[in-house]
């Protein structure tokens, strides 16, 4: 089956299409997860796959995240290409050992005797009212594990391409799907994803705003407002956090001289602070203003709409932080 | 699968009349056990000379479990084990020189010096890893069996773990998953009566760890882990059943480590009479006695085997010590394929 060319799909449908195409293409691909089979997944990303590919290829598992991830690793090392689903990314805490100590380190500890082509999909992020234990953006938990690659698709196109890339990749990849983007529509075309390279969603010469996923959507809205005020912002979607596209960001900052990083999730130990540190380290002379770090507040994600929304970087806060950078 | 035939604790109960080939095989098991004992003794000495870094976990006394079980596997089968796994990896056929080089952190070690004592891996011999998070490898073993179903003849995934691992979540998740999918996994619990420094009765409410299998509707069997033939015959039978859809099995192998948990542990918490009783059941001494009793070899012959094994380990140690440490630049290799 070939991919759909520039069809309008939702982010959710793009995930499902990528899974279907890879299941079709390679019989070693197998999906593992809770309620991904007969139920089609709690976010319906795997809808229809169970009927089409059967219970052996689309495997419903018990609620056992350690077993899901560890089993996927063992199957990967023995020649399969498993795609494990963590229903809500927060549950990665339940199987942290499996991801951090087993998946990330397996190949290295053995001195490269085996490869582990495992993909782990995780439904991530806030903005949908799932409260503290089902809403955190947890991608930053995994930045400290050389051996893991991390994709954070922010569009239907990337949800499709990055997932297909991850499944074909011979190494572990965590793919964080943003729950609040599942309904987003956009064109999806076949093609080769450039894994590890960022993309400018909007070009501009006055300031560079770097973000991922939901924050990219807000940064684009902010950029429109900023344009009304005469400020042209370049909005960069990182697309992957490991590898982190430092050269791409430096190239943009070389033109704009100003940097704003917008991160969903608290600041400590996150990609945004790391990126700023690296830009300062390697590109200090490019900067005409101090880099700005805009993140979620230092709280667990609360439930009520007013509470949750107030804690996230809003369009208004992005505009504010960007103007501060531009006007310094 | 009968547990009764394998739990007599009497090595003389195993076996019947043996052909020349079978006798050679039996002597091979003896040789492998002695070689592992010599290896562990050498490791202990190298430790006291600070030539081996970090921690190590010696397996003297448990050789019959590793050698018996691994000798029943086929070349395509998958073995995973714990950080007390030198014995199992050697039992799969790993080069003693490459294994010792790895422990010494040398260039041509099994893992290029990246793994060390706790992560010995020799994939070409079916040793898919030594894992140092208690129980963390049991889901891996389930996945290996799942992948094996795609082959014409399913492989068997055999995984070793200690009694302490039966109290960690990954153990229960792995047994449950293997049971509902009826996968060919043989879970081999090396019950050496102590989880690190704690006697099993202080940490585990059941006295027979085979009980753990009941809540997963899984078959289980206890075996005398100091009887190499009992272990071998049990695993051979279990593997044959697993290959034709018999599903997973939990084996509890009763054994005893002669040493403490790790280098910092003199094992003073163990009653002297308990240690003495287990030393009398030393698996190598028992099997040697049985071989003589059956007329397969005499005392001088056994001594020759022991000398040859000691020489092999001595040569391996010297060869490993002569190797350089890895080039520091190689630390960046093997993160990704």
């Amino acid at each position: 089956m070939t991919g759909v060319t520039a069809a309008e799909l939702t982010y959710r449908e793009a995930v499902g299409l990528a899974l279907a195409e890879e299941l079709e293409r390679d019989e070693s691909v197998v999906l593992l997860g809770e309620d991904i089979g007969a139920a089609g997944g709690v976010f319906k990303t795997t809808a229809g796959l169970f009927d089409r590919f059967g219970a052996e290829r689309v495997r419903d598992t018990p609620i056992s995240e350690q077993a899901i991830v560890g089993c996927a690793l063992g199957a990967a090392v023995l020649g399969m290409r498993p795609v494990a689903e963590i229903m809500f990314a927060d549950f990665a805490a339940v199987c942290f050992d499996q991801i951090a100590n087993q998946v990330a380190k397996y190949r290295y500890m053995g001195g490269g005797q085996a490869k582990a082509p495992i993909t782990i999909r995780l439904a991530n992020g806030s903005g949908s009212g799932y409260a503290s234990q089902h809403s955190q953006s947890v991608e930053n938990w995994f930045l400290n594990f050389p051996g893991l690659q991390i994709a954070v698709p922010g569009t239907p196109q990337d949800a499709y391409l990055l997932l297909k890339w991850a499944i074909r990749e011979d190494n572990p990849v965590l793919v964080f799907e943003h729950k609040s983007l599942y309904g987003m529509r956009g064109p999806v075309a076949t093609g080769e994803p450039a894994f590890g390279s960022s993309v400018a969603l909007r070009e501009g010469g006055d300031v560079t705003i770097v973000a991922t996923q939901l924050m990219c959507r807000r940064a684009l809205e902010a950029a429109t407002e900023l344009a009304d005020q005469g400020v042209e912002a370049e909005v960069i979607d990182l697309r992957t956090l490991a590898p982190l596209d430092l050269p791409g960001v430096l190239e943009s900052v070389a033109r704009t001289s100003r940097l704003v990083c917008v991160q969903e999730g608290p600041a400590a130990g996150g990609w945004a602070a790391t990126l700023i540190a690296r830009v300062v380290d390697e590109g200090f002379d490019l900067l005409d203003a101090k880099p700005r770090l805009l993140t979620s507040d230092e709280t667990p994600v609360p439930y009520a709409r007013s509470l949750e929304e107030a804690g996230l970087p809003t369009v208004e806060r992005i505009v504010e932080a960007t103007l501060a950078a531009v006007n310094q | 699968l009968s547990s009764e035939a394998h739990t007599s604790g009497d090595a003389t109960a195993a076996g019947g009349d043996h052909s020349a080939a079978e006798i050679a095989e039996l002597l091979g098991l003896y040789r492998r056990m002695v070689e592992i004992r010599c290896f562990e003794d050498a490791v202990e000495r190298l430790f006291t000379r600070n030539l081996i870094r970090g921690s190590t976990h010696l397996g003297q006394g448990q050789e019959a479990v590793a050698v018996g079980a691994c000798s029943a596997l086929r070349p395509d089968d998958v073995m995973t084990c714990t950080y007390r796994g030198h014995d199992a990896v050697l039992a799969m056929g790993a080069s003693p020189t490459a294994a010792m080089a790895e422990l010494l952190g040398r260039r041509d070690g099994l893992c290029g010096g990246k793994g060390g004592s706790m992560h010995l891996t020799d994939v070409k011999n079916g040793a898919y890893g030594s894992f140092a998070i208690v129980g963390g490898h049991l889901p891996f073993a389930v996945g290996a069996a799942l992948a094996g179903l795609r082959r014409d003849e399913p492989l068997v995934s055999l995984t070793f773990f200690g009694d302490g691992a039966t109290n960690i979540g990954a153990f229960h998740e792995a047994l449950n998953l293997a049971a509902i999918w009826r996968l060919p996994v043989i879970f081999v619990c090396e019950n050496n009566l102590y989880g690190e420094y704690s006697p099993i009765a202080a940490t585990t409410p059941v006295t027979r760890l085979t009980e753990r299998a009941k809540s997963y509707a899984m078959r289980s069997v206890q075996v005398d882990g100091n009887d190499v033939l009992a272990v071998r015959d049990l695993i051979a039978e279990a593997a044959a059943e697993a290959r034709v859809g018999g599903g997973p099995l939990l084996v509890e192998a009763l054994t005893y480590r002669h040493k403490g948990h790790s280098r910092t542990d003199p094992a003073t918490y163990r009653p002297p009479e308990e240690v003495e009783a287990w030393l009398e059941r030393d698996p190598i001494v028992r099997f040697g006695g049985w071989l003589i009793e059956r007329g397969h070899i005499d005392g001088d012959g056994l001594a020759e085997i022991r000398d040859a094994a000691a020489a092999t380990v001595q040569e391996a140690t010297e060869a490993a010590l002569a190797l350089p440490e890895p080039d520091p630049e190689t630390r960046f290799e093997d993160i990704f394929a």
Side-chain angles (χ1 to χ4, degrees), chain B residues 4-239:
Chain B
E4 301 310 316
H6 303 285
T7 56
S8 68
D10 176 8
T12 60
D17 290 331
H18 296 101
S19 68
E22 284 167 337
I23 291 168
E25 194 185 325
L26 293 169
L27 295 177
L29 296 177
Y30 181 81
R31 161 74 189 243
R32 189 51 68 74
M33 285 202 292
V34 174
E35 203 169 288
I36 291 169
R37 176 72 56 88
C38 292
F39 186 93
E40 296 291 63
D41 288 345
V43 170
E44 198 174 2
R45 288 193 296 273
L46 292 165
F47 245 126
T48 56
R49 291 168 58 196
N50 278 326
L51 288 167
I52 292 178
R53 316 182 71 225
S55 190
T56 198
H57 306 80
L58 299 168
Q60 290 105 322
Q62 302 188 181
E63 297 90 347
V65 185
V67 172
C70 294
S71 69
L73 296 179
R74 293 186 186 172
D76 283 347
D77 290 337
V78 172
M79 189 285 294
T80 46
C81 61
T82 75
Y83 50 88
R84 193 185 311 285
H86 309 161
D87 53 2
V89 176
L90 290 168
M92 292 297 286
S95 148
T97 304
M100 191 61 87
E102 186 61 30
L103 268 64
L104 288 162
R106 301 305 164 104
R107 188 190 60 199
D108 298 333
L110 280 175
C111 311
K114 295 199 175 82
S117 167
M118 293 196 278
H119 303 300
L120 284 184
T121 303
D122 190 17
V123 166
K124 70 179 184 303
N125 280 308
Y128 276 80
S130 306
F131 297 76
I133 305 295
V134 170
H137 59 303
L138 301 183
F140 180 105
V142 175
L146 176 66
L149 292 183
R150 298 170 66 238
R151 304 188 178 185
D152 292 338
E153 189 171 12
L155 59 75
V156 165
S157 176
L158 183 143
T159 185
F160 294 105
F161 53 94
D163 42 284
T166 65
N167 290 325
I168 205 161
F171 166 83
H172 296 276
E173 293 193 14
L175 262 68
N176 185 60
L177 194 61
I180 56 168
W181 289 350
R182 288 191 67 77
L183 294 172
V185 187
I186 304 177
F187 295 95
V188 182
C189 177
E190 299 171 294
N191 183 358
N192 60 23
L193 311 182
Y194 290 85
E196 302 206 358
Y197 297 45
S198 300
I200 187 162
T203 59
T204 307
V206 292
T207 48
R208 285 177 76 102
L209 295 179
T210 48
E211 299 282 310
R212 296 289 201 190
K214 283 187 181 168
S215 50
Y216 307 108
M218 187 186 294
R219 300 169 310 152
S220 64
V221 55
Q222 200 176 59
V223 66
D224 180 348
N226 280 17
D227 180 341
V228 67
L229 294 185
V231 175
R232 183 194 66 172
D233 293 349
L234 171 66
I235 299 300
E237 192 182 345

Side-chain angles (χ1 to χ4, degrees), chain A residues 255-278:
Chain A
R255 285 185 283 104
T256 65
S257 310
R258 288 172 163 79
L259 174 65
V260 178
C261 288
V262 186
Q263 173 185 287
E264 182 178 332
W271 64 261
T274 301
L275 182 61
I276 286 174
R278 293 199 165 168

Side-chain angles (χ1 to χ4, degrees), chain A residues 192-209:
Chain A
E192 287 299 312
F195 197 87
S197 68
S198 60
V199 63
L201 299 175
R202 181 189 195 284
E203 293 183 353
D206 295 330
V207 58
T208 300
I209 303 175

Side-chain angles (χ1 to χ4, degrees), chain A residues 237-317:
Chain A
D237 179 354
L238 282 175
R239 304 174 71 242
T240 64
L241 299 180
L244 186 66
D245 186 14
L246 181 61
V249 173
L250 284 171
E251 192 272 325
S252 175
V253 172
R255 285 185 283 104
T256 65
S257 310
R258 288 172 163 79
L259 174 65
V260 178
C261 288
V262 186
Q263 173 185 287
E264 182 178 332
W271 64 261
T274 301
L275 182 61
I276 286 174
R278 293 199 165 168
V279 167
V280 168
D281 189 33
E282 296 190 27
F284 186 73
D285 295 339
L286 303 174
L287 292 163
D288 285 341
K290 67 176 184 178
R292 307 285 161 156
L293 175 61
L294 181 59
T295 68
S296 296
D297 292 342
E298 300 282 335
T299 72
V301 179
Y303 166 68
R305 187 187 301 273
S306 63
L307 298 176
E308 181 177 21
E309 191 49 35
L312 290 170
T314 56
V315 172
E316 189 184 358
R317 286 164 75 177

Side-chain angles (χ1 to χ4, degrees), chain A residues 66-67 71 98 106 108 113 171, chain B residues 110 121 123 128 136 173 331 337:
Chain A
Q66 296 188 67
C71 175
Q98 291 297 325
Y106 179 78
Y108 194 75
Q113 293 180 52
N171 295 292
Chain B
L110 280 175
T121 303
V123 166
Y128 276 80
E173 293 193 14
R331 72 190 186 279

